[in-house]
Amino acid sequence: MTFKLTRRAALQGMLAGGVAMTAFRAFPAYAQAPGGTLTVGLTYEIDTMNVYSTGFLGDAQAAVVEGLLAPGSDAKYVPVLATEVPTLENGGIVVAEDGKTMKITYKLREGVKWHDGEPFTSADVKYTWEAVKDPAFIAESKDGTEEVESIETPDDLTVIVNYNTILPTFASTLFTFGILPKHVLEGTDLNTSTYNETPIGTGPFKVTEFVRGQYVVTERFDEYWDKAENGDQLPYLDSIIFKMIPDTNTLITQLRSGEVTMVVSTPYSQASQVEGIDGIEIVKGPLLSWQHLDFNFKNPTLADLEVRKAIAMGIDRNVLIRAQGGFPEAIKSPVVPVFEWYDAETPEIAYDVEGAKAALDAAGYVAGSDGIREKDGNRLSYQFMVQAGRADDELAQQVIIAQLKAIGIEATANNQTGVAYREARYNGGYDLIYGRWITSADPVYSVFWGTGGANNGQSYSNPKLDEAFAKFENSLDTAVRMEAAKEFQTILAEDLPSIPLTTNVALIAKTAKLKDFVPNPTNMTNFVHTAEWYMEG
């Protein structure tokens, strides 16, 4: 088994600029030749191929649909359909004299075609904003749409985006996720369009078949705009097939049999099984992600801060880490330590079983004959959800259930998969939920805990937190953003809508024949640039 890129060395070095991997082409390729099929096993069922509607990471989508920019392997943005990343220095970003608004100019690549042969133009970029912003369109997130006041398209290869505010995180929203084809979608209902199953993109691969709950087949796009440094037409692979296999035991079985040749989320608990599979290697990749336990504030006992604090005191992160093979690392903030925004002084609630019991006693929660505490007829008994079939999460869930029982709290597994899990997560169909979030290279945290945030299924609201998020997300001044980051991390630690538990690495199992693969640590997934991957031999 081969391990590469230790998390600390890779992420800290790369994000500090110490490694010159600022683009997708991180390593030279040798003996590249076109051909070959990669079969990827996904641990979730794809709900839609529309990047703006999906409630999951867009693995398959990223190979098909491209944005103007994308994060590279070092979590720094690089140009894709744009010719450069706009900055203050290159004149791509211009701040108004009053310091309250800004405009961004993108220059687009010439000769880019959609999968149906039509030319990609600035009109598609403007349409994407209009379509995603449209109230009739049901999107997973509309981040970045409301901040845009207008878009000008003086010619086919120029886009001028006028913002009504200062948005330092512009690259992590909207035009990075993907551009929609105006000529295909204008005048249609984007909620019901066949685009949601067989999207037309500009990426290196095009969708040829989508069978819901089973697989997506993508094939090489012969007229893709990019070429390798040696002049080869990209992409090299003939096809990437994405198989939906929510049960991780089945996933590893298919990896062993050769039915699957890549798994981007190998369960920690099954790493030793993968180690012995002939022809498979494991790449240990960095992730901008963290595991967390969230509370549903519609439940009156979970809306009680003393109960949330007691739960935090009752969880031993070290046990969780050991149960997952020692791969995760303990954290106390959702801002993972590799970011400059991380505040090492963030308050922390230490593991303390007796302290948790005392806090619940003081709050009036008394243990009944079965050991479960209650107050005024309200038992501390909760439905506890993780994504069914994810072995690591189900294992962590059992550890947490046992730890909560030790302080007089009952948690009962109520796990869901696919769309059912997604709906429950977004609509608060749980009491407790354990899972992971992964961010962009320039995170927007208000989506998780801001009032009305797209990923805030907890019904949590804190005006002071909203103010801190607004300062962080609406300034280009690093000092202002650092102070706001410190403030919102303190509020989250003290008000505790969520307990940050561990940060993660990705264990990516792949055929040893696949070359030029480099892990991507962001929420744009490992498939954000697949064009130069090739099969040796």
Side-chain angles (χ1 to χ4, degrees):
M1 179 170 64
T2 303
F3 282 102
K4 303 176 182 176
L5 294 177
T6 62
R7 180 185 171 278
R8 285 285 179 180
L11 266 182
Q12 289 184 341
M14 289 190 291
L15 294 179
V19 179
M21 291 169 57
T22 57
F24 295 116
R25 297 183 176 118
F27 301 122
Y30 299 98
Q32 306 101 317
T37 294
L38 181 69
T39 304
V40 179
L42 301 178
T43 57
Y44 59 91
E45 293 181 7
I46 297 173
D47 47 358
T48 171
M49 286 292 289
N50 187 325
V51 296
Y52 290 102
S53 301
T54 183
F56 299 98
L57 290 179
D59 293 288
Q61 296 88 331
V64 176
V65 177
E66 296 177 312
L68 302 185
L69 312 173
S73 55
D74 59 357
K76 296 183 184 299
Y77 287 98
V78 297
V80 181
L81 296 179
T83 59
E84 65 179 358
V85 178
T87 65
L88 289 168
E89 291 74 20
N90 65 23
I93 301 175
V94 177
V95 177
E97 290 185 6
D98 62 7
K100 295 181 179 179
T101 62
M102 69 181 192
K103 80 170 49 174
I104 293 179
T105 299
Y106 294 97
K107 290 294 184 180
L108 307 182
R109 293 189 186 277
E110 293 187 59
V112 177
K113 292 183 179 181
W114 292 99
H115 291 157
D116 60 3
E118 291 297 311
F120 161 74
T121 73
S122 57
D124 297 305
V125 179
K126 184 176 181 179
Y127 170 77
T128 299
W129 168 59
E130 295 170 340
V132 177
K133 183 180 179 181
D134 186 346
F137 173 48
I138 303 171
E140 186 273 337
S141 173
K142 294 176 181 278
D143 291 341
T145 59
E146 294 300 325
E147 292 85 354
V148 175
E149 185 67 27
S150 64
I151 293 180
E152 304 167 44
T153 54
D155 59 59
D156 284 351
L157 298 177
T158 304
V159 178
I160 302 172
V161 185
N162 299 299
Y163 285 85
N164 55 31
T165 187
I166 301 296
L167 191 68
T169 56
F170 73 91
S172 66
T173 61
L174 198 58
F175 305 127
T176 292
F177 278 100
I179 304 301
L180 302 172
K182 178 180 179 179
H183 70 283
V184 172
L185 295 173
E186 187 174 37
T188 69
D189 183 350
L190 194 51
N191 296 309
T192 59
S193 172
T194 56
Y195 174 92
N196 297 328
E197 295 190 348
T198 53
I200 301 294
T202 61
F205 296 91
K206 57 185 180 181
V207 176
T208 57
E209 188 177 5
F210 178 104
V211 177
R212 190 167 295 280
Q214 296 185 46
Y215 58 82
V216 175
V217 177
T218 72
E219 295 182 357
R220 183 180 195 271
F221 178 41
D222 291 330
E223 296 183 85
Y224 184 55
W225 58 267
D226 201 8
K227 289 183 170 57
E229 290 182 358
N230 65 5
D232 286 351
Q233 174 63 50
L234 297 175
Y236 286 115
L237 295 176
D238 283 337
S239 176
I240 302 179
I241 299 172
F242 296 87
K243 296 180 69 174
M244 306 170 211
I245 311 173
D247 184 81
T248 50
N249 291 317
T250 302
L251 189 63
I252 300 306
T253 297
Q254 292 201 16
L255 187 67
R256 183 175 289 109
S257 68
E259 296 169 82
V260 165
T261 51
M262 185 181 211
V263 174
V264 294
S265 185
T266 304
Y268 298 143
S269 60
Q270 293 172 295
S272 60
Q273 298 177 40
V274 175
E275 181 179 4
I277 300 177
D278 187 44
I280 295 295
E281 63 181 10
I282 290 185
V283 178
K284 186 176 181 183
L287 284 176
L288 303 181
S289 77
W290 71 97
Q291 298 287 149
H292 52 92
L293 181 71
D294 295 344
F295 306 101
N296 189 335
F297 280 70
K298 293 178 183 177
N299 186 307
T301 59
L302 293 175
D304 185 338
L305 178 58
E306 294 307 312
V307 173
R308 300 198 301 277
K309 285 182 177 178
I311 289 175
M313 283 189 279
I315 297 176
D316 186 350
R317 290 169 174 79
N318 292 324
V319 177
L320 287 173
I321 292 168
R322 287 198 299 271
Q324 297 178 79
F327 291 107
E329 295 179 10
I331 56 171
K332 60 179 179 178
S333 168
V335 181
V336 294
V338 296
F339 284 124
E340 63 178 324
W341 315 115
Y342 172 71
D343 179 21
E345 303 303 317
T346 297
E348 181 176 11
I349 298 177
Y351 173 58
D352 182 356
V353 171
E354 295 307 315
K357 292 178 180 178
L360 291 171
D361 287 340
Y365 293 93
V366 179
S369 59
D370 59 357
I372 305 305
R373 294 172 180 269
E374 64 177 78
K375 175 183 176 181
D376 300 329
N378 292 316
R379 279 167 51 87
L380 300 188
S381 178
Y382 304 115
Q383 294 293 305
F384 185 6
M385 182 175 292
V386 303
Q387 186 175 339
R390 292 186 67 102
D392 289 332
D393 290 0
E394 290 178 331
L395 180 58
Q397 180 186 47
Q398 291 305 310
V399 171
I400 293 172
I401 286 173
Q403 292 182 341
L404 295 185
K405 185 176 182 181
I407 62 172
I409 294 177
E410 180 179 61
T412 303
N414 179 31
N415 301 338
Q416 302 291 334
T417 189
V419 174
Y421 173 78
R422 175 201 172 183
E423 292 301 312
R425 187 179 69 184
Y426 283 110
N427 298 322
Y430 57 84
D431 293 318
L432 303 171
I433 189 168
Y434 172 90
R436 78 175 60 186
W437 292 123
I438 182 169
T439 73
S440 67
D442 198 352
V444 176
Y445 294 98
S446 63
V447 299
F448 304 116
W449 302 288
T451 301
N455 296 328
N456 183 355
Q458 304 173 240
S459 299
Y460 173 71
S461 178
N462 185 327
K464 289 185 178 179
L465 184 62
D466 292 337
E467 291 175 11
F469 283 147
K471 286 192 290 185
F472 180 72
E473 295 167 10
N474 292 279
S475 176
L476 293 175
D477 187 321
T478 299
V480 171
R481 300 192 75 201
M482 291 292 284
E483 184 60 32
K486 178 180 177 67
E487 184 178 353
F488 77 65
Q489 287 174 84
T490 298
I491 294 172
L492 288 170
E494 293 177 346
D495 206 26
L496 215 64
S498 174
I499 305 174
L501 294 169
T502 57
T503 187
N504 309 290
V505 295
L507 297 185
I508 303 157
K510 71 176 187 66
T511 171
K513 293 182 179 181
L514 181 67
K515 303 300 181 182
D516 264 10
F517 168 78
V518 182
N520 190 293
T522 76
N523 63 347
M524 290 298 291
T525 87
N526 289 290
F527 300 91
V528 70
H529 191 78
T530 55
E532 293 201 43
W533 298 1
Y534 70 98
M535 290 290 186
E536 186 178 59

